Amino acid sequence: MIRKWSTSIVRAGRSVGRSSAPVTYTLIALCCLAFLAGPASGLNPAYGTGDELLAVQRAYFRRWGVIPAELFEGSARPALTPATALFVHGSWVHLLGNMLFLYVFGAMAEERMGRVQFTLFYVGCGYLALLGYAVANAGSEQSLVGASGAISAVLGAFLYLFPRARVTSLLPFLFFLPVRFPAWVVLPFWAALQWLAAGRATDGPRVAYLAHLIGFALGFGYASVRYGRPTGPTRVKAAPAPAPEGENQP
């Protein structure tokens, strides 16, 4: 059994290494493994159940997530949390939504940027997006976790690099029928929804829409400065209309 598992892991590693977007797939794998190993998945009975599990989850999010009120105290550990929070997710929906967006848009962005540059871009923009949210909510004691700031940066860069790419979207108000629109229609529409939601979220929202907006702006700005003219039309795999999530955990 152990030999079979080790063989499967080696084959998966070789497959990722030969793919055109190994960093994207590695990030997805790391986020999934961190979620499955942590208490948020609810799969490990060692974390307990009921109130005991909730207490463990809160402690887990406070340890690895961003707590704005503690971020600027001057100690080293809180300063690292905008990086660790990128690999922590609060629920199955949170994880799967974010990973779907990263899978759909990350591969093409990575191919255009290159592996090393894409890695630095993803982590750097994700860190700054969470940091920006913390600055705007400096008194908050809630834990902020999730890769949505970094993934929003990928969306922003994708919009600049591939504005005419055809994106298949599943829109709720059209009964989730698949429709195809160019990226310059879909992604600004998504950003506008984040802007409207952020304007209404005045009572401590569970979704950090501001981090989405900061990440999106950073990604688009970076791509516009770093790269030349956008590429021609292409096709992108299906992605749902709802945005990647960034949850504030209690």
Side-chain angles (χ1 to χ4, degrees):
M1 179 64 69
I2 294 177
R3 181 176 297 178
K4 290 181 180 180
W5 273 99
S6 62
T7 302
S8 298
I9 292 173
V10 170
R11 288 177 178 174
R14 290 174 179 173
S15 177
V16 169
R18 291 193 299 266
S19 71
S20 58
V23 174
T24 297
Y25 302 139
T26 299
L27 289 171
I28 292 173
L30 289 174
C31 288
C32 291
L33 289 174
F35 181 78
L36 294 174
S41 67
L43 297 178
N44 190 341
Y47 292 118
T49 58
D51 293 339
E52 181 183 3
L53 177 60
L54 291 176
V56 173
Q57 289 175 346
R58 284 194 291 267
Y60 178 77
F61 295 139
R62 289 190 69 85
R63 178 177 183 181
W64 301 109
V66 177
I67 304 176
E70 299 179 2
L71 188 59
F72 306 106
E73 292 179 347
S75 57
R77 195 197 69 80
L80 296 176
T81 56
T84 60
L86 295 177
F87 300 93
V88 179
H89 291 83
S91 67
W92 285 95
V93 173
H94 188 198
L95 172 73
L96 296 177
N98 275 351
M99 295 305 99
L100 175 60
F101 272 78
L102 180 56
Y103 173 74
V104 170
F105 295 100
M108 288 178 61
E110 179 185 344
E111 290 179 21
R112 179 69 174 85
M113 293 182 179
R115 299 175 183 180
V116 174
Q117 189 171 161
F118 180 79
T119 302
L120 297 176
F121 164 81
Y122 181 90
V123 176
C125 288
Y127 187 103
L128 292 175
L130 294 177
L131 182 64
Y133 177 89
V135 170
N137 299 271
S140 175
E141 292 284 347
Q142 290 182 305
S143 302
L144 179 67
V145 298
S148 56
I151 296 171
S152 297
V154 173
L155 298 185
F158 188 95
L159 173 61
Y160 181 81
L161 295 173
F162 309 103
R164 291 180 289 174
R166 305 290 293 184
V167 179
T168 301
S169 301
L170 305 177
L171 302 176
F173 55 83
L174 293 179
F175 303 101
F176 293 99
L177 294 176
V179 291
R180 294 187 66 81
F181 293 106
W184 66 265
V185 172
V186 175
L187 296 180
F189 176 73
W190 169 84
L193 292 179
Q194 304 307 295
W195 179 272
L196 294 174
R200 295 195 302 266
T202 59
D203 56 347
R206 289 183 58 81
V207 178
Y209 296 106
L210 180 59
H212 298 173
L213 290 170
I214 294 173
F216 188 81
L218 287 171
F220 187 87
Y222 173 83
S224 64
V225 171
R226 176 65 178 81
Y227 298 96
R229 302 179 66 177
T231 63
T234 187
R235 291 188 176 184
V236 182
K237 300 171 185 177
E245 297 185 14
E247 294 183 8
N248 284 315
Q249 298 296 331

